[in-house]
Amino acid sequence: MAQDVLVRVPVREQEPKVRATNFEEVCYGYNAEEAVSEASRCLNCKNAQCVKGCPVSINIPAFIEQVKNENYEAAYQIISESSALPAVCGRVCPQESQCEGKCIRGFKGDPISIGKLERFVADWARENGIKPNGAEEKNGKKVAVIGSGPAGLTCAGDLAKLGYDVTIFEALHAAGGVLSYGIPEFRLPKDKVVAAEVENVKSLGVKIETNVVIGKSVKIDELMEQEGFDAVFIGSGAGLPRFMNIPGEQANGVFSANEFLTRNNLMKAFKEGYETPISRGKKVVVVGGGNVAMDAARTALRLGAETHIVYRRGEDELPARKEEVHHAKEEGIIFDLLQNPTEILVDEEGWVKGIRLVKMELGEPDESGRRSPVEIPGSEYEIECDTVIMSLGTSPNPLISSTTEGLEVNRRKCIVAQEDTGATSKEGVYAGGDAVTGAATVILAMGAGKAAAKGIHEFLSKQ
């Protein structure tokens, strides 16, 4: 039977009851036959709205056309002109609100599965040893990139393609930033995908030095004045967790989502034989409703816990991707919506024994247009639990900004940088991603890294 052009080719996934017990990737992705069939649905628009919805401006119709023609290497090189991390983006980008959200096909049917096609192409290239095209020769100028997350890798890759000698400085022992420590294995495999994408960036000539804490190991001023770097890009992310400041928050068994996920993802706490301490609670409460909250809850579930997500608004207001909410529900996560913690209950030995919640209702919209949650008087109640994970967002660590002369930050301790170029108040220093905006998405960080690479190139071309 011919493919119905109004209906996207479905993607194969692990069964919910099976995947809830393992850390294998949930989504299997397309095979070649499925990818070609899905690509054939594309209208190949001349004025492609999908490209306008992509923060890194991938030529989406062009790469999909190559998939349709089964020319997968050409499709990969088209994507790689704009994106350093296609296998990552194909898995974790919110395509439904970006490229796919603007797809013309979506007005009278399902939008093209752009993300799944990007993933297919990137995976095919990895499996067949295809690398992105690099610069033919170096231009003799050096750029330091701080942080090996999506912003840093993108900026470094783009600069390397322009002939710059680029060195990435990473504080942790492994490259990848939030891709390595923040996103679980079942959504983003580390060895198969993240490490391979990092190697692709290195294949362009980028050097990566790990275990270097900028602000302590070396300062930005020293990189420029003593080590000969002509420019610096700060893509250090936002790894400082936020808490509610409610009673009991200092108890044993209370984690930030950052710590919980880092112990599990980067330090392999989920694997047998790894001696990484992590709370394997029997009943876990995750506070928050974003993608990180879903990741933490689904991780806790796989570690054997009954897991609840507590969020102070309703389901329509959940900031997480619909796909992540759907997967969490399928796997058995319990959603306690329109509820908010007021206290974490602690036993005599200092361990979590429960949490006190108050019921909420939605009132008038706040400044962002979202309806503000309001407490219902007299509705407090308690539930038992032995672990609480706070997933309330993050902010940049102030170490870099506090040790760099002349670098302006705002009241949220985010570095102030121009949106179109990444230029900061300090000449030759650029910034982008979560270090500038606060916690956001992988693809938006990549877009900022790309803009900064262009800004750095324009700046150094005038030197």
Side-chain angles (χ1 to χ4, degrees):
M1 182 180 293
Q3 166 68 19
D4 183 347
V5 296
L6 297 181
V7 180
R8 62 172 48 176
V9 175
V11 66
R12 292 161 291 114
E13 297 178 343
Q14 281 196 72
E15 289 295 324
K17 288 184 179 179
V18 175
R19 70 181 190 240
T21 64
N22 65 58
F23 280 85
E24 300 300 315
E25 191 168 13
V26 168
C27 178
Y28 293 129
Y30 285 149
N31 59 30
E33 181 182 356
E34 291 164 339
V36 171
S37 180
E38 179 64 17
S40 298
R41 297 178 56 234
C42 180
L43 297 171
N44 197 13
C45 305
K46 301 306 178 188
N47 182 22
Q49 297 302 305
C50 56
V51 178
K52 297 177 183 179
C54 175
V56 295
S57 301
I58 293 172
N59 189 340
I60 294 168
F63 101 74
I64 291 180
E65 182 72 11
Q66 294 300 334
V67 173
K68 184 175 73 172
N69 295 331
E70 301 183 42
N71 193 345
Y72 308 133
E73 183 172 354
Y76 176 73
Q77 295 301 346
I78 290 169
I79 296 172
S80 295
E81 290 174 4
S82 302
S83 174
L85 307 170
V88 169
C89 291
R91 286 168 165 85
V92 303
C93 275
Q95 290 98 1
E96 66 277 3
S97 61
Q98 294 178 160
C99 54
E100 293 178 14
K102 292 186 178 296
C103 176
I104 298 300
R105 176 64 80 189
F107 286 102
K108 290 186 178 180
D110 295 336
I112 305 301
S113 291
I114 297 168
K116 298 297 187 291
L117 290 174
E118 182 180 17
R119 168 184 166 160
F120 166 78
V121 170
D123 287 355
W124 182 93
R126 180 186 67 249
E127 291 162 5
N128 288 274
I130 307 300
K131 298 289 185 181
N133 294 326
E136 294 184 2
E137 58 183 33
K138 297 288 186 181
N139 61 23
K141 295 182 178 180
K142 291 174 59 178
V143 179
V145 171
I146 301 171
S148 64
L153 290 170
T154 298
C155 185
D158 278 15
L159 288 170
K161 290 174 185 175
L162 291 168
Y164 291 92
D165 182 353
V166 184
T167 301
I168 296 176
F169 297 98
E170 168 57 47
L172 296 175
H173 64 277
V178 71
L179 307 176
S180 292
Y181 72 75
I183 303 177
E185 189 81 8
F186 55 82
R187 279 217 295 141
L188 187 63
K190 304 299 171 256
D191 294 337
K192 184 176 79 171
V193 176
V194 178
E197 299 275 65
V198 170
E199 287 302 314
N200 282 345
V201 173
K202 290 171 69 175
S203 75
L204 297 170
V206 175
K207 298 179 286 293
I208 300 179
E209 294 188 20
T210 57
N211 298 309
V212 180
V213 181
I214 301 297
K216 284 193 175 293
S217 305
V218 65
K219 297 179 181 178
I220 286 178
D221 293 316
E222 294 169 343
L223 289 174
M224 301 182 78
E225 295 168 9
Q226 299 175 23
E227 299 197 21
F229 285 97
D230 299 291
V232 174
F233 172 72
I234 303 171
S236 50
L240 192 64
R242 297 174 184 164
F243 289 90
M244 294 186 69
N245 297 317
I246 58 176
E249 214 166 17
Q250 302 302 316
N252 295 318
V254 178
F255 291 86
S256 70
N258 262 29
E259 179 186 358
F260 184 80
L261 290 169
T262 298
R263 287 180 181 275
N264 195 72
N265 301 334
L266 187 62
M267 301 166 73
K268 311 298 183 186
F270 69 91
K271 287 189 174 182
E272 293 294 333
Y274 277 70
E275 297 181 358
T276 305
I278 193 170
S279 176
R280 293 176 178 266
K282 293 182 179 179
K283 187 170 182 179
V284 174
V285 171
V286 178
V287 181
N291 290 324
V292 176
M294 300 302 144
D295 286 344
R298 296 172 70 195
T299 296
L301 180 80
R302 283 162 170 76
L303 292 173
E306 175 187 315
T307 307
H308 294 242
I309 285 179
V310 170
Y311 183 60
R312 61 181 185 156
R313 289 182 168 92
E315 183 167 348
D316 290 343
E317 290 76 33
L318 282 166
R321 292 183 67 190
K322 292 188 183 303
E323 181 179 55
E324 300 308 318
V325 175
H326 172 68
H327 281 157
K329 285 184 173 183
E330 280 189 326
E331 293 166 6
I333 303 295
I334 300 165
F335 283 73
D336 296 323
L337 303 175
L338 289 170
Q339 327 221 6
N340 203 40
T342 58
E343 181 181 359
I344 296 169
L345 308 175
V346 186
D347 66 18
E348 294 178 354
E349 297 180 353
W351 288 86
V352 173
K353 68 174 184 180
I355 188 167
R356 180 173 290 122
L357 304 170
V358 63
K359 295 181 180 180
M360 313 291 285
E361 59 184 359
L362 295 180
E364 296 301 316
D366 60 18
E367 293 178 359
S368 67
R370 300 171 77 196
R371 293 175 64 193
S372 302
V374 180
E375 291 187 5
I376 299 175
S379 65
E380 282 192 324
Y381 69 104
E382 299 174 0
I383 61 173
E384 292 183 0
C385 64
D386 51 20
T387 304
V388 175
I389 301 172
M390 292 293 184
S391 182
L392 306 168
T394 55
S395 57
N397 190 315
L399 178 62
I400 291 175
S401 58
S402 66
T403 58
T404 304
E405 193 73 30
L407 191 63
E408 183 184 354
V409 297
N410 61 25
R411 59 182 179 81
R412 297 184 296 136
K413 305 300 181 185
C414 294
I415 297 169
V416 176
Q418 295 178 15
E419 185 176 353
D420 56 341
T421 65
T424 71
S425 56
K426 186 176 179 70
E427 187 176 67
V429 176
Y430 293 71
D434 292 2
V436 172
T437 62
T441 63
V442 167
I443 190 63
L444 289 176
M446 290 176 62
K450 195 170 191 66
K454 182 180 177 182
I456 290 170
H457 179 56
E458 291 174 352
F459 169 71
L460 293 180
S461 296
K462 299 175 183 176
Q463 302 298 302

